[in-house]
Amino acid sequence: MTNTDEPQQTRAGSLPEPDPAIPRQFISWVTLALMTTASVASLRPSPSMAIYGLAAVFLYLLPAVVFLLPTALVGAELASGWSGGIYRWVSEALGRPLGFVAVWCQFAMTIAYYPSLLAYVASTFAYVIHPSLAENGPYVAIVIVVIYWTGVWVTCRGTKTVAGLSSSGLIIGTLVPGVVLVVLGIVFLGQGNESAAPMSPDHWLPPWTGLASLVLIVNNFLSYAGMEMNGVHVSSLRHPRAEYPRSIFLATGLVLLIFILPALAISWVMPSEELSLTAGLMQAFQAFFDHFHVGWLTKVVGIMLVMAALGGMLTWLAGPAKGLVTLARQEGYLPPVLQKFNKAGVPRNIMVAQGVVTTLIGVLYAFSDDVSSAYWMFSVITVQIYLIAYLLMFVAVVRLRASQPEVPRGFVVPAVKVVAAVGFVASLAALAIGFVPPDQFGKGPLWRYLLIVGGGLLALGVLAPAAFLKFRKPGWIHPDHRATHEPR
């Protein structure tokens, strides 16, 4: 999300000196590591990696090295040199139109993300009412539509009661269930039960049957997305050049533990051929709880996971939209009808427009005979749209290092060209691999898969921002900004 309320610049790209009357507050590098972990870690992607069994370790480590670390390091340099988020970074390096494309993609990815998130919520809640509904398309479609519009209604009222739900979500919906799942798995194996997935050393690498055998790794790029956002806190470290790398490596280790251990625990109890991408987490909990004769706890955990997911959705439902609209009012990127805020300061119109598209996507679930495949396709679209923004970010950091070397940076990426190149190539590879249907969930016709994935990426990630830029008019700039700024 872009923060457009940036300080006035005193010279090219540099920030004014901090007010000495305002005491500067520092945080420790450990605190920053925990903040980063909380913003990235989640149990939702665990089922997609549990399918690979022990090889999930490798498939989490690989994108962590080639994507997670580069985005975190690059994000820290950019955030410590230029306020304003990805729009400012890309605009300074590549021009305002591409800056708009980057911030648009951060918003547009939520259009595909919400249906996949709410499909997970629907399948999880099914284990509270009736597990057979987890793969029922009409049920999932109804849940997606009803919950999304309920969330929009709550958000548009400016309700502040949901503000603290995201912080509690890490504990309620991630740490507690994750620890319970791993402990149950260890006890399960300790009792002499055989793992559903082979755990021998020769299974460290996934079996290679072509590119389709590794496609599910693409989901890990979405799992790691957002790591760069915490780069804004680099100035709060006492010794950022030394402490920020420590913070990132600690956060990476914690994130990997939260991702890997639950995925392994799921693979111990659930055969891969029976695993659902949306309900796999609940399948594992039910299997463990039934084994230990406490099946009633399945409903309790299901409610915890649903509450955490919904709390997280509500707390940032308007965030990306508000950032985009605020920027559009200043620069005139969107027509006036999409720039309106209601009395509570919520960009209702663009959220309604977003909701129409989300509803259409949600309805597609009603016609799907394989909810897991539909979930996967919309997850891929989400990743691909987001990766466009990352590709621009990696180019921007190299360009700015050459074009604006005089701008002070709180953190400087060592070997920036190498780091940015690794992140760029990894992002480009993940974007391309997403067009390959996975072995596990690619039973439908190839043309349908390519039509949905390619069409979603083209429409939301390319054609939509191109259309706004092409038809952009000077009159689209909000009256409050016309006197001081004209679009370039």
Side-chain angles (χ1 to χ4, degrees), residues 47 113 116 128 135 138 160 190 207 211 259 307 346 380:
Y113 173 72
S116 62
V128 178
E135 290 290 329
K160 297 181 180 179
L211 202 55
F259 280 142
M307 289 179 61
V346 176
V380 169

Side-chain angles (χ1 to χ4, degrees), residues 367-370 373 377 443-455:
F367 300 96
S368 173
D369 54 1
D370 188 348
S373 290
M377 284 187 283
K443 299 177 182 178
L446 177 62
W447 67 265
R448 186 175 66 183
Y449 181 88
L450 293 177
L451 179 64
I452 294 176
V453 172

Side-chain angles (χ1 to χ4, degrees), residues 105-121:
C105 287
Q106 284 194 330
F107 162 75
M109 57 82 70
T110 64
I111 297 175
Y113 173 72
Y114 285 129
S116 62
L117 171 66
L118 294 177
Y120 159 78
V121 169

Side-chain angles (χ1 to χ4, degrees), residues 55-122:
V57 177
F58 169 80
L59 294 177
Y60 269 123
L61 285 174
L62 180 61
V65 172
V66 301
F67 179 75
L68 178 64
L69 289 176
T71 56
L73 295 173
V74 166
E77 173 166 335
L78 293 172
S80 65
W82 295 267
S83 62
I86 197 167
Y87 172 76
R88 173 78 183 287
W89 306 338
V90 176
S91 295
E92 290 277 350
L94 306 173
R96 290 186 178 185
L98 286 179
F100 169 70
V101 171
V103 77
W104 167 267
C105 287
Q106 284 194 330
F107 162 75
M109 57 82 70
T110 64
I111 297 175
Y113 173 72
Y114 285 129
S116 62
L117 171 66
L118 294 177
Y120 159 78
V121 169

